[in-house]
């Protein structure tokens, strides 16, 4: 395991532990609205409609579907998410959870062939989005200490 993959694995493990710890909330039986901060870490990558080649690379084809080149993508581009969230109780077990999040995504490419000539071009793309996810959450109390949660939703991003 190389150093970059090891650091990624440790970062993901720390984030999972933090997510488990921050999910411990006091419970109040009264209907309520909660507000909070949402912080996250993401890893994004680029894929092709033709599919991935060996070792996470993208193959390029012309209009006749002849192979014209190969682009090597870096394993992941690291990004972040930061925003605000709220949770509104709709009824006994149902909640609405809208958020407003600023997030970054991107990719890194190393192109080995463009057209008829061999060229070596590096592209580093970083994009920033404002996202509005809205989730519907259902909570089922198993006991005083245990709850079962399920949620579904979608988001709009600019």
């Amino acid at each position: 395991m190389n150093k970059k993959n090891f650091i990624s694995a440790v970062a993901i493990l720390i984030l999972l532990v933090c997510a488990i710890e921050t999910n411990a909330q006091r419970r109040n039986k009264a209907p309520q609205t909660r507000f909070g901060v949402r912080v996250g870490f993401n890893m994004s990558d680029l894929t092709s409609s033709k599919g991935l080649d060996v070792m996470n690379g993208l193959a390029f084809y012309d209009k006749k579907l002849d192979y014209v080149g190969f682009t090597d993508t870096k394993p992941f581009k690291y990004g972040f998410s930061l925003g605000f969230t709220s949770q509104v109780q709709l009824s006994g077990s149902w909640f609405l959870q809208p958020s407003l999040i600023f997030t970054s995504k991107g990719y890194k490419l190393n192109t080995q062939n463009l057209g008829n000539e061999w060229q070596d071009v590096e592209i580093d793309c970083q994009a920033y989005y404002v996202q509005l996810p809205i989730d519907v959450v259902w909570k089922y109390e198993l006991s005083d200490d245990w709850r079962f949660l399920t949620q579904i939703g979608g988001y709009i991003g600019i």
Side-chain angles (χ1 to χ4, degrees):
M1 177 181 281
N2 65 24
K3 185 177 179 181
K4 191 172 186 179
N5 288 342
F6 177 75
I7 292 172
S8 298
V10 170
I12 290 170
L13 182 63
I14 290 171
L15 287 172
L16 286 174
V17 169
C18 290
I20 291 169
E21 291 299 320
T22 58
N23 199 18
Q25 303 167 356
R26 67 179 172 84
R27 289 184 287 171
N28 188 351
K29 300 289 183 185
Q32 57 188 329
T33 300
R34 295 181 183 183
F35 297 96
V37 176
R38 196 166 173 175
V39 178
F41 167 78
N42 64 50
M43 298 182 294
S44 55
D45 199 0
L46 186 65
T47 59
S48 170
S49 61
K50 293 286 182 185
L52 291 173
D53 281 357
V54 178
M55 297 303 293
N56 200 23
L58 302 171
F60 289 104
Y61 301 87
D62 63 8
K63 292 180 182 178
K64 298 177 186 177
L65 296 179
D66 293 327
Y67 178 79
V68 294
F70 180 77
T71 298
D72 181 28
T73 63
K74 302 293 182 185
F76 291 106
K77 178 90 174 190
Y78 300 111
F80 66 92
S81 297
L82 177 64
F84 300 99
T85 188
S86 65
Q87 187 177 70
V88 180
Q89 187 169 11
L90 300 174
S91 67
S93 298
W94 292 93
F95 297 83
L96 184 66
Q97 188 172 329
S99 301
L100 182 63
I101 301 170
F102 179 77
T103 187
S104 68
K105 299 177 184 178
Y107 59 90
K108 290 183 181 179
L109 294 176
N110 181 12
T111 302
Q112 299 169 356
N113 182 7
L114 291 174
N116 296 330
E117 298 180 16
W118 285 95
Q119 298 177 2
D120 204 16
V121 178
E122 289 190 12
I123 300 170
D124 188 355
C125 179
Q126 186 78 26
Y128 299 96
Y129 297 90
V130 175
Q131 297 176 339
L132 177 66
I134 299 175
D135 297 325
V136 176
V137 181
W138 179 69
K139 297 180 183 180
Y140 179 74
E141 303 240 359
L142 298 171
S143 69
D144 286 341
D145 296 328
W146 295 91
R147 288 182 289 177
F148 176 75
L149 302 171
T150 185
Q151 65 186 43
I152 188 168
Y155 72 93
I156 298 171
I158 298 173

